[in-house]
Amino acid sequence: MANKKIFIFNPENDMALAFGGDFYTPPPLPAMLRHDLKLLPIWMADTDDAVMADNVPAQWIRQTATQINGVCTNIVARQDIRHADYSFSPWGWSPSLRRELVAAGANDSSLPSRDRIEQIRELSHRRSSIIIHNAVNQAIGYQLAPTPVELHSFEAVRQFAAANPGCFLKAPWSSSGKGIFRAVDTDALALERWCNGVLRRQGSILAEKPLDSLLDFAMEFKIDNGKASFVGYSVFANNSQSSFSSCIIGSESHLESLIVDVLGDAKLLSNVRNALSPILEKLIGSCYSGFLGIDMMVYTHNGTPQLCPCIEINLRCTMGVVAAIISSRFVAPGTTGSFHVDFFKTSAELKAHCQALAAQNPAKIALGRMESGFFELTPFESTSQYIAYLILHK
């Protein structure tokens, strides 16, 4: 099989896994996100790789690659993948994506088998966060944060919620906060309806005690030939719907220092990071290849910062992975800033927003790397309502 890869941005992957079948149709907003940010993988792919996308603005790609060194410019239309001698590197694997690629003419031998994708789906279940949480505790020799529990009946959920006011209840498979319920009122009819719906569709609910968050961050990894390697940290902010909004751009050492400043324990952070590679290799190394992210939290307990080592595992690429790769490959040394994915109700609002940011933050490029200012990571098109961009400072 060729070493070259075709990258695919399919951000609806978590919802496709929750659906579980071959013929998943995403709602309008996730479908729009996939369309508008279809070229985001040009920042992740190597120059001899390719990105699968239709109807792309070729001039924007050429101009971007002329100014910034190392940007992938090879674009493969869906109808042409039957002729491509590449393997595939999607945002995430689901039965639906496999069917989509087979229908487009992809060689079956270049795709994970149905059984392999079912393994990936099972490992994407939120119970994997419990496995990782416990394995980290065992590796470092003491308990980090309360461990989530998996519950299989509404009565068990109700009892947990009564004992832990404000707890978080999570569907086993969900996307960007859509499958999370904050249990504030244990007698609320909404709680019972939500729980019974999840239990009927997915069989269980993951329950977590509420933690007083000080900092949300993640460790990003890549699995290749069964071996896990650390890609970088991401320190991020979510919007009111718990979906990705922005994260910090900077060197690995800069992001690590931000985390340690809040946690107050550099050795603990290092020990958890070192423990995770063998844990991931044992848990998923035999069936999964690609990027993944482990969401974590620094929280306060009795006034002391503590570390929660696994809020959840994202067995797919993440925006944090994209930010880490961009920081290391395309941003000038010593530069910091922020990586954003924004949605606007109309393309006119998006255009006005970007024009204002560009005027306020003139772009400066040094030796083929982004140094300061506003940079579009995905092109603005006439119908765009989503956009990814950077704001950098030297």
Side-chain angles (χ1 to χ4, degrees):
M1 184 181 296
N3 291 324
K4 298 177 182 179
K5 296 181 174 63
I6 294 178
F7 283 74
I8 304 168
F9 183 63
N10 56 311
E12 76 284 359
N13 183 73
D14 290 351
M15 290 177 284
L17 286 179
F19 176 75
D22 285 2
F23 293 90
Y24 174 72
T25 300
L29 286 181
M32 184 185 299
L33 178 65
R34 178 172 180 173
H35 175 270
D36 291 353
L37 269 60
K38 60 193 173 189
L39 290 179
L40 190 62
I42 68 172
W43 304 98
M44 302 166 56
D46 292 332
T47 53
D48 57 352
D49 292 330
V51 174
M52 188 181 86
D54 295 326
N55 302 316
V56 299
Q59 183 177 354
W60 181 89
I61 298 173
R62 286 194 299 268
Q63 182 177 353
T64 300
T66 298
Q67 296 175 325
I68 301 168
N69 295 338
V71 176
C72 176
T73 59
N74 303 318
I75 308 299
V76 177
R78 185 187 313 264
Q79 66 186 29
D80 294 328
I81 64 171
R82 69 181 66 242
H83 308 299
D85 184 23
Y86 290 78
S87 59
F88 292 90
S89 182
W91 194 257
W93 282 111
S94 69
S96 179
L97 179 67
R98 190 185 194 283
R99 180 207 59 80
E100 176 185 335
L101 294 175
V102 169
N107 189 325
D108 193 76
S109 64
S110 67
L111 304 172
S113 67
R114 287 179 174 274
D115 288 345
R116 182 65 58 86
I117 289 181
E118 185 56 34
Q119 286 181 290
I120 293 170
R121 182 176 186 270
E122 286 302 311
L123 287 167
S124 298
H125 191 292
R126 277 196 166 103
R127 72 167 64 97
S128 290
S129 66
I130 300 176
I131 297 171
I132 293 172
H133 196 126
N134 288 333
V136 170
N137 287 339
Q138 184 176 2
I140 67 172
Y142 60 91
Q143 179 76 25
L144 287 175
T147 306
V149 296
E150 185 174 6
L151 306 172
H152 296 84
S153 70
F154 173 67
E155 179 57 25
V157 174
R158 192 195 64 76
Q159 291 179 11
F160 185 95
N164 301 279
C167 67
F168 289 91
L169 307 175
K170 298 181 177 180
W173 293 280
S174 62
S175 173
S176 300
K178 303 299 183 186
I180 299 175
F181 191 99
R182 184 80 186 272
V184 178
D185 182 356
T186 57
D187 294 322
L189 182 59
L191 170 65
E192 184 172 3
R193 286 176 174 169
W194 185 88
C195 290
N196 286 335
V198 173
L199 290 168
R200 183 178 65 255
R201 293 189 302 273
Q202 300 189 22
S204 66
I205 289 172
L206 281 293
E208 300 174 4
K209 294 181 178 181
L211 302 177
D212 188 5
S213 176
L214 297 174
L215 182 71
D216 296 315
F217 73 101
M219 291 187 188
E220 315 290 354
F221 291 84
K222 184 178 182 181
I223 305 286
D224 192 14
N225 293 320
K227 294 296 182 181
S229 58
F230 181 72
V231 173
Y233 297 101
S234 57
V235 179
F236 53 85
N238 292 327
N239 60 25
S240 59
Q241 288 76 44
S242 298
S243 58
F244 178 86
S245 175
S246 66
C247 65
I248 297 173
I249 290 290
S251 66
E252 182 180 312
S253 61
H254 174 69
L255 296 181
E256 184 173 86
S257 69
L258 295 178
I259 299 166
V260 171
D261 284 349
V262 179
L263 179 61
D265 192 337
K267 184 177 180 181
L268 174 59
L269 187 69
S270 176
N271 287 345
V272 169
R273 169 178 163 176
N274 293 336
L276 278 168
S277 286
I279 290 170
L280 293 171
E281 289 168 6
K282 181 179 179 180
L283 180 63
I284 65 175
S286 64
C287 72
Y288 181 77
S289 295
F291 296 105
L292 64 98
I294 298 180
D295 291 347
M296 303 183 181
M297 179 193 296
V298 181
Y299 68 101
T300 181
H301 179 66
N302 294 332
T304 302
Q306 307 281 346
L307 177 64
C308 182
C310 186
I311 299 293
E312 64 183 46
I313 177 173
N314 295 301
L315 200 53
R316 54 168 171 78
C317 192
T318 70
M319 292 299 179
V321 167
V322 178
I325 293 174
I326 288 174
S327 293
S328 64
R329 289 176 55 185
F330 299 107
V331 172
T335 289
T336 59
S338 52
F339 165 52
H340 301 257
V341 175
D342 284 351
F343 168 76
F344 297 85
K345 292 182 178 180
T346 68
S347 56
E349 290 179 27
L350 186 157
K351 183 177 182 180
H353 178 75
C354 291
Q355 288 176 336
L357 287 177
Q360 297 162 9
N361 304 275
K364 182 178 180 182
I365 297 171
L367 300 177
R369 286 188 169 224
M370 296 177 282
E371 186 175 69
S372 62
F374 168 80
F375 295 90
E376 290 182 357
L377 299 176
T378 54
F380 168 78
E381 299 181 80
S382 60
T383 61
S384 296
Q385 291 178 247
Y386 284 98
I387 194 164
Y389 61 89
L390 302 181
I391 298 179
L392 302 178
H393 313 283
K394 183 69 174 177

Short mmCIF file of all heavy atoms in Angstrom, two decimals, residues 75-119:
data_model
loop_
_atom_site.label_atom_id
_atom_site.label_comp_id
_atom_site.label_asym_id
_atom_site.label_seq_id
_atom_site.Cartn_x
_atom_site.Cartn_y
_atom_site.Cartn_z
N ILE A 75 -5.00 18.24 -4.33
CA ILE A 75 -6.43 18.06 -4.04
C ILE A 75 -6.98 16.96 -4.95
O ILE A 75 -6.74 16.99 -6.17
CB ILE A 75 -7.22 19.37 -4.27
CG1 ILE A 75 -6.56 20.53 -3.51
CG2 ILE A 75 -8.66 19.19 -3.86
CD1 ILE A 75 -6.49 20.34 -2.01
N VAL A 76 -7.69 16.03 -4.35
CA VAL A 76 -8.30 14.93 -5.11
C VAL A 76 -9.81 15.03 -4.98
O VAL A 76 -10.35 15.03 -3.86
CB VAL A 76 -7.82 13.57 -4.58
CG1 VAL A 76 -8.51 12.43 -5.32
CG2 VAL A 76 -6.31 13.44 -4.72
N ALA A 77 -10.49 15.14 -6.09
CA ALA A 77 -11.95 15.16 -6.08
C ALA A 77 -12.48 13.76 -5.73
O ALA A 77 -11.83 12.74 -6.02
CB ALA A 77 -12.49 15.60 -7.43
N ARG A 78 -13.65 13.74 -5.13
CA ARG A 78 -14.24 12.46 -4.74
C ARG A 78 -14.30 11.48 -5.92
O ARG A 78 -14.01 10.29 -5.77
CB ARG A 78 -15.64 12.72 -4.19
CG ARG A 78 -16.34 11.49 -3.62
CD ARG A 78 -17.77 11.86 -3.27
NE ARG A 78 -17.81 13.11 -2.53
CZ ARG A 78 -17.86 13.18 -1.20
NH1 ARG A 78 -17.89 12.08 -0.49
NH2 ARG A 78 -17.90 14.36 -0.60
N GLN A 79 -14.64 12.00 -7.09
CA GLN A 79 -14.83 11.12 -8.25
C GLN A 79 -13.51 10.54 -8.75
O GLN A 79 -13.51 9.59 -9.54
CB GLN A 79 -15.49 11.90 -9.39
CG GLN A 79 -14.61 13.02 -9.95
CD GLN A 79 -15.35 13.87 -10.98
OE1 GLN A 79 -16.56 14.00 -10.92
NE2 GLN A 79 -14.61 14.43 -11.91
N ASP A 80 -12.38 11.11 -8.28
CA ASP A 80 -11.07 10.66 -8.78
C ASP A 80 -10.33 9.75 -7.81
O ASP A 80 -9.22 9.30 -8.12
CB ASP A 80 -10.19 11.88 -9.09
CG ASP A 80 -10.72 12.71 -10.24
OD1 ASP A 80 -11.34 12.12 -11.15
OD2 ASP A 80 -10.54 13.94 -10.22
N ILE A 81 -10.91 9.45 -6.66
CA ILE A 81 -10.15 8.63 -5.71
C ILE A 81 -10.00 7.19 -6.20
O ILE A 81 -9.10 6.48 -5.76
CB ILE A 81 -10.77 8.64 -4.30
CG1 ILE A 81 -12.16 8.00 -4.29
CG2 ILE A 81 -10.83 10.04 -3.73
CD1 ILE A 81 -12.70 7.79 -2.89
N ARG A 82 -10.83 6.78 -7.14
CA ARG A 82 -10.70 5.42 -7.68
C ARG A 82 -9.37 5.25 -8.41
O ARG A 82 -8.89 4.13 -8.60
CB ARG A 82 -11.87 5.09 -8.59
CG ARG A 82 -11.89 5.86 -9.90
CD ARG A 82 -13.09 5.51 -10.77
NE ARG A 82 -14.34 5.93 -10.15
CZ ARG A 82 -15.30 5.09 -9.80
NH1 ARG A 82 -15.14 3.79 -10.01
NH2 ARG A 82 -16.42 5.53 -9.26
N HIS A 83 -8.78 6.36 -8.86
CA HIS A 83 -7.54 6.31 -9.61
C HIS A 83 -6.32 6.61 -8.74
O HIS A 83 -5.20 6.59 -9.24
CB HIS A 83 -7.58 7.33 -10.76
CG HIS A 83 -8.79 7.21 -11.63
ND1 HIS A 83 -9.08 6.07 -12.35
CD2 HIS A 83 -9.81 8.08 -11.88
CE1 HIS A 83 -10.21 6.24 -13.02
NE2 HIS A 83 -10.67 7.45 -12.74
N ALA A 84 -6.53 6.89 -7.46
CA ALA A 84 -5.44 7.37 -6.60
C ALA A 84 -4.74 6.21 -5.88
O ALA A 84 -5.40 5.32 -5.35
CB ALA A 84 -5.98 8.36 -5.58
N ASP A 85 -3.42 6.24 -5.89
CA ASP A 85 -2.62 5.23 -5.21
C ASP A 85 -2.23 5.76 -3.82
O ASP A 85 -1.08 6.08 -3.56
CB ASP A 85 -1.37 4.91 -6.02
CG ASP A 85 -0.55 3.78 -5.40
OD1 ASP A 85 -1.12 2.99 -4.63
OD2 ASP A 85 0.66 3.73 -5.66
N TYR A 86 -3.23 5.88 -2.97
CA TYR A 86 -3.04 6.44 -1.64
C TYR A 86 -3.79 5.58 -0.61
O TYR A 86 -4.74 4.88 -0.95
CB TYR A 86 -3.62 7.85 -1.54
CG TYR A 86 -2.89 8.94 -2.29
CD1 TYR A 86 -3.05 9.09 -3.67
CD2 TYR A 86 -2.08 9.84 -1.62
CE1 TYR A 86 -2.40 10.10 -4.36
CE2 TYR A 86 -1.44 10.87 -2.30
CZ TYR A 86 -1.60 10.99 -3.67
OH TYR A 86 -0.96 12.00 -4.33
N SER A 87 -3.37 5.68 0.65
CA SER A 87 -4.21 5.21 1.75
C SER A 87 -5.03 6.40 2.24
O SER A 87 -4.84 7.53 1.77
CB SER A 87 -3.35 4.62 2.87
OG SER A 87 -2.44 5.59 3.37
N PHE A 88 -5.91 6.17 3.20
CA PHE A 88 -6.82 7.23 3.64
C PHE A 88 -6.57 7.61 5.09
O PHE A 88 -6.33 6.76 5.94
CB PHE A 88 -8.28 6.80 3.45
CG PHE A 88 -8.68 6.68 2.01
CD1 PHE A 88 -8.53 5.48 1.33
CD2 PHE A 88 -9.18 7.77 1.33
CE1 PHE A 88 -8.89 5.35 0.00
CE2 PHE A 88 -9.54 7.66 -0.01
CZ PHE A 88 -9.39 6.45 -0.68
N SER A 89 -6.64 8.92 5.34
CA SER A 89 -6.49 9.45 6.69
C SER A 89 -7.64 10.42 6.96
O SER A 89 -7.48 11.64 6.83
CB SER A 89 -5.14 10.17 6.83
OG SER A 89 -4.96 10.66 8.14
N PRO A 90 -8.79 9.90 7.36
CA PRO A 90 -9.93 10.78 7.62
C PRO A 90 -9.86 11.40 9.00
O PRO A 90 -9.04 11.00 9.84
CB PRO A 90 -11.13 9.84 7.51
CG PRO A 90 -10.59 8.54 8.00
CD PRO A 90 -9.15 8.49 7.52
N TRP A 91 -10.74 12.36 9.25
CA TRP A 91 -10.88 12.92 10.60
C TRP A 91 -11.22 11.79 11.58
O TRP A 91 -10.70 11.74 12.69
CB TRP A 91 -11.98 13.97 10.57
CG TRP A 91 -12.04 14.88 11.76
CD1 TRP A 91 -12.93 14.82 12.79
CD2 TRP A 91 -11.21 16.01 12.03
NE1 TRP A 91 -12.70 15.84 13.68
CE2 TRP A 91 -11.65 16.59 13.24
CE3 TRP A 91 -10.13 16.60 11.36
CZ2 TRP A 91 -11.06 17.72 13.80
CZ3 TRP A 91 -9.53 17.72 11.91
CH2 TRP A 91 -10.00 18.27 13.13
N GLY A 92 -12.08 10.88 11.15
CA GLY A 92 -12.42 9.72 11.97
C GLY A 92 -13.07 8.66 11.11
O GLY A 92 -13.61 8.94 10.04
N TRP A 93 -13.01 7.41 11.61
CA TRP A 93 -13.58 6.29 10.86
C TRP A 93 -14.95 5.91 11.40
O TRP A 93 -15.15 5.82 12.61
CB TRP A 93 -12.67 5.06 10.92
CG TRP A 93 -11.49 5.12 10.01
CD1 TRP A 93 -10.18 5.25 10.37
CD2 TRP A 93 -11.51 5.04 8.58
NE1 TRP A 93 -9.37 5.26 9.24
CE2 TRP A 93 -10.16 5.13 8.13
CE3 TRP A 93 -12.52 4.90 7.63
CZ2 TRP A 93 -9.82 5.08 6.79
CZ3 TRP A 93 -12.18 4.86 6.29
CH2 TRP A 93 -10.84 4.95 5.88
N SER A 94 -15.88 5.66 10.50
CA SER A 94 -17.21 5.17 10.85
C SER A 94 -17.68 4.24 9.73
O SER A 94 -17.14 4.29 8.61
CB SER A 94 -18.20 6.33 10.99
OG SER A 94 -18.45 6.93 9.72
N PRO A 95 -18.67 3.39 9.99
CA PRO A 95 -19.22 2.57 8.90
C PRO A 95 -19.72 3.42 7.74
O PRO A 95 -19.57 3.04 6.57
CB PRO A 95 -20.38 1.83 9.59
CG PRO A 95 -20.00 1.77 11.03
CD PRO A 95 -19.28 3.06 11.30
N SER A 96 -20.28 4.57 8.06
CA SER A 96 -20.82 5.44 7.01
C SER A 96 -19.73 5.96 6.09
O SER A 96 -19.90 6.00 4.86
CB SER A 96 -21.58 6.60 7.66
OG SER A 96 -22.09 7.47 6.68
N LEU A 97 -18.59 6.37 6.65
CA LEU A 97 -17.51 6.88 5.80
C LEU A 97 -16.94 5.76 4.94
O LEU A 97 -16.63 5.97 3.76
CB LEU A 97 -16.40 7.51 6.64
CG LEU A 97 -15.22 8.04 5.82
CD1 LEU A 97 -15.64 9.22 4.95
CD2 LEU A 97 -14.04 8.43 6.70
N ARG A 98 -16.80 4.57 5.51
CA ARG A 98 -16.29 3.45 4.72
C ARG A 98 -17.20 3.20 3.51
O ARG A 98 -16.71 3.02 2.38
CB ARG A 98 -16.18 2.18 5.57
CG ARG A 98 -15.44 1.05 4.87
CD ARG A 98 -15.45 -0.22 5.68
NE ARG A 98 -14.47 -1.17 5.15
CZ ARG A 98 -14.63 -1.90 4.06
NH1 ARG A 98 -15.77 -1.80 3.37
NH2 ARG A 98 -13.68 -2.72 3.65
N ARG A 99 -18.51 3.18 3.73
CA ARG A 99 -19.45 2.97 2.63
C ARG A 99 -19.33 4.08 1.60
O ARG A 99 -19.36 3.84 0.39
CB ARG A 99 -20.89 2.92 3.17
CG ARG A 99 -21.94 2.69 2.06
CD ARG A 99 -23.27 3.27 2.44
NE ARG A 99 -23.19 4.69 2.68
CZ ARG A 99 -23.17 5.63 1.74
NH1 ARG A 99 -23.19 5.29 0.46
NH2 ARG A 99 -23.11 6.90 2.06
N GLU A 100 -19.17 5.35 2.09
CA GLU A 100 -19.03 6.49 1.18
C GLU A 100 -17.82 6.33 0.28
O GLU A 100 -17.90 6.60 -0.94
CB GLU A 100 -18.91 7.77 2.02
CG GLU A 100 -18.68 9.03 1.21
CD GLU A 100 -18.44 10.25 2.10
OE1 GLU A 100 -18.89 10.25 3.27
OE2 GLU A 100 -17.79 11.21 1.62
N LEU A 101 -16.70 5.88 0.83
CA LEU A 101 -15.48 5.74 0.04
C LEU A 101 -15.57 4.56 -0.92
O LEU A 101 -15.11 4.65 -2.07
CB LEU A 101 -14.27 5.60 0.96
CG LEU A 101 -13.95 6.84 1.80
CD1 LEU A 101 -12.82 6.56 2.77
CD2 LEU A 101 -13.62 8.04 0.92
N VAL A 102 -16.17 3.47 -0.48
CA VAL A 102 -16.37 2.33 -1.38
C VAL A 102 -17.26 2.74 -2.55
O VAL A 102 -16.98 2.41 -3.72
CB VAL A 102 -16.98 1.14 -0.62
CG1 VAL A 102 -17.45 0.06 -1.59
CG2 VAL A 102 -15.97 0.57 0.37
N ALA A 103 -18.33 3.49 -2.25
CA ALA A 103 -19.23 3.94 -3.32
C ALA A 103 -18.53 4.87 -4.30
O ALA A 103 -18.89 4.91 -5.49
CB ALA A 103 -20.44 4.65 -2.70
N ALA A 104 -17.52 5.61 -3.82
CA ALA A 104 -16.78 6.52 -4.70
C ALA A 104 -15.69 5.80 -5.49
O ALA A 104 -15.03 6.42 -6.32
CB ALA A 104 -16.17 7.65 -3.87
N GLY A 105 -15.50 4.50 -5.22
CA GLY A 105 -14.54 3.73 -6.00
C GLY A 105 -13.24 3.42 -5.32
O GLY A 105 -12.30 2.93 -5.96
N ALA A 106 -13.13 3.68 -4.01
CA ALA A 106 -11.89 3.37 -3.30
C ALA A 106 -11.64 1.87 -3.28
O ALA A 106 -12.57 1.07 -3.17
CB ALA A 106 -11.96 3.91 -1.87
N ASN A 107 -10.38 1.50 -3.38
CA ASN A 107 -9.99 0.10 -3.31
C ASN A 107 -10.26 -0.42 -1.91
O ASN A 107 -9.80 0.15 -0.92
CB ASN A 107 -8.50 -0.03 -3.66
CG ASN A 107 -8.08 -1.48 -3.83
OD1 ASN A 107 -8.57 -2.37 -3.14
ND2 ASN A 107 -7.16 -1.70 -4.74
N ASP A 108 -11.00 -1.51 -1.81
CA ASP A 108 -11.37 -2.05 -0.50
C ASP A 108 -10.15 -2.36 0.36
O ASP A 108 -10.19 -2.21 1.58
CB ASP A 108 -12.22 -3.31 -0.68
CG ASP A 108 -12.90 -3.74 0.60
OD1 ASP A 108 -13.90 -3.11 0.98
OD2 ASP A 108 -12.43 -4.71 1.23
N SER A 109 -9.06 -2.76 -0.26
CA SER A 109 -7.86 -3.11 0.50
C SER A 109 -7.19 -1.90 1.13
O SER A 109 -6.35 -2.05 2.02
CB SER A 109 -6.85 -3.83 -0.41
OG SER A 109 -6.39 -2.96 -1.44
N SER A 110 -7.55 -0.70 0.68
CA SER A 110 -6.96 0.52 1.25
C SER A 110 -7.77 1.04 2.44
O SER A 110 -7.42 2.07 3.02
CB SER A 110 -6.87 1.61 0.18
OG SER A 110 -8.16 2.05 -0.21
N LEU A 111 -8.85 0.33 2.80
CA LEU A 111 -9.74 0.77 3.88
C LEU A 111 -9.71 -0.22 5.03
O LEU A 111 -9.48 -1.42 4.83
CB LEU A 111 -11.17 0.89 3.35
CG LEU A 111 -11.39 1.80 2.15
CD1 LEU A 111 -12.82 1.64 1.64
CD2 LEU A 111 -11.10 3.24 2.51
N PRO A 112 -9.97 0.25 6.26
CA PRO A 112 -10.13 -0.70 7.36
C PRO A 112 -11.32 -1.60 7.10
O PRO A 112 -12.31 -1.19 6.49
CB PRO A 112 -10.40 0.22 8.57
CG PRO A 112 -9.99 1.58 8.16
CD PRO A 112 -10.15 1.65 6.68
N SER A 113 -11.23 -2.84 7.56
CA SER A 113 -12.34 -3.77 7.38
C SER A 113 -13.54 -3.32 8.22
O SER A 113 -13.41 -2.50 9.13
CB SER A 113 -11.93 -5.18 7.79
OG SER A 113 -11.69 -5.22 9.21
N ARG A 114 -14.70 -3.90 7.91
CA ARG A 114 -15.89 -3.60 8.71
C ARG A 114 -15.67 -4.00 10.17
O ARG A 114 -16.09 -3.28 11.08
CB ARG A 114 -17.10 -4.34 8.15
CG ARG A 114 -17.63 -3.77 6.84
CD ARG A 114 -18.81 -4.57 6.35
NE ARG A 114 -19.42 -3.96 5.19
CZ ARG A 114 -20.34 -3.01 5.23
NH1 ARG A 114 -20.77 -2.57 6.41
NH2 ARG A 114 -20.86 -2.51 4.13
N ASP A 115 -15.02 -5.13 10.39
CA ASP A 115 -14.76 -5.57 11.76
C ASP A 115 -13.84 -4.59 12.48
O ASP A 115 -14.03 -4.28 13.66
CB ASP A 115 -14.13 -6.96 11.77
CG ASP A 115 -15.13 -8.06 11.40
OD1 ASP A 115 -16.35 -7.78 11.42
OD2 ASP A 115 -14.69 -9.17 11.08
N ARG A 116 -12.83 -4.09 11.76
CA ARG A 116 -11.91 -3.12 12.37
C ARG A 116 -12.63 -1.84 12.75
O ARG A 116 -12.42 -1.28 13.83
CB ARG A 116 -10.75 -2.84 11.40
CG ARG A 116 -9.70 -1.88 11.93
CD ARG A 116 -8.94 -2.44 13.11
NE ARG A 116 -8.29 -3.69 12.83
CZ ARG A 116 -7.08 -3.82 12.28
NH1 ARG A 116 -6.40 -2.75 11.94
NH2 ARG A 116 -6.55 -5.00 12.09
N ILE A 117 -13.51 -1.37 11.89
CA ILE A 117 -14.25 -0.15 12.19
C ILE A 117 -15.21 -0.38 13.36
O ILE A 117 -15.41 0.52 14.19
CB ILE A 117 -14.98 0.37 10.93
CG1 ILE A 117 -13.94 0.91 9.94
CG2 ILE A 117 -15.99 1.45 11.30
CD1 ILE A 117 -14.52 1.46 8.67
N GLU A 118 -15.77 -1.57 13.46
CA GLU A 118 -16.62 -1.86 14.62
C GLU A 118 -15.80 -1.86 15.91
O GLU A 118 -16.28 -1.41 16.96
CB GLU A 118 -17.33 -3.20 14.44
CG GLU A 118 -18.33 -3.53 15.54
CD GLU A 118 -19.40 -2.46 15.74
OE1 GLU A 118 -19.80 -1.82 14.75
OE2 GLU A 118 -19.83 -2.27 16.91
N GLN A 119 -14.55 -2.34 15.85
CA GLN A 119 -13.66 -2.25 17.00
C GLN A 119 -13.41 -0.80 17.38
O GLN A 119 -13.43 -0.44 18.57
CB GLN A 119 -12.32 -2.94 16.70
CG GLN A 119 -12.35 -4.44 16.70
CD GLN A 119 -10.96 -5.01 16.40
OE1 GLN A 119 -10.45 -4.91 15.29
NE2 GLN A 119 -10.35 -5.59 17.41
#
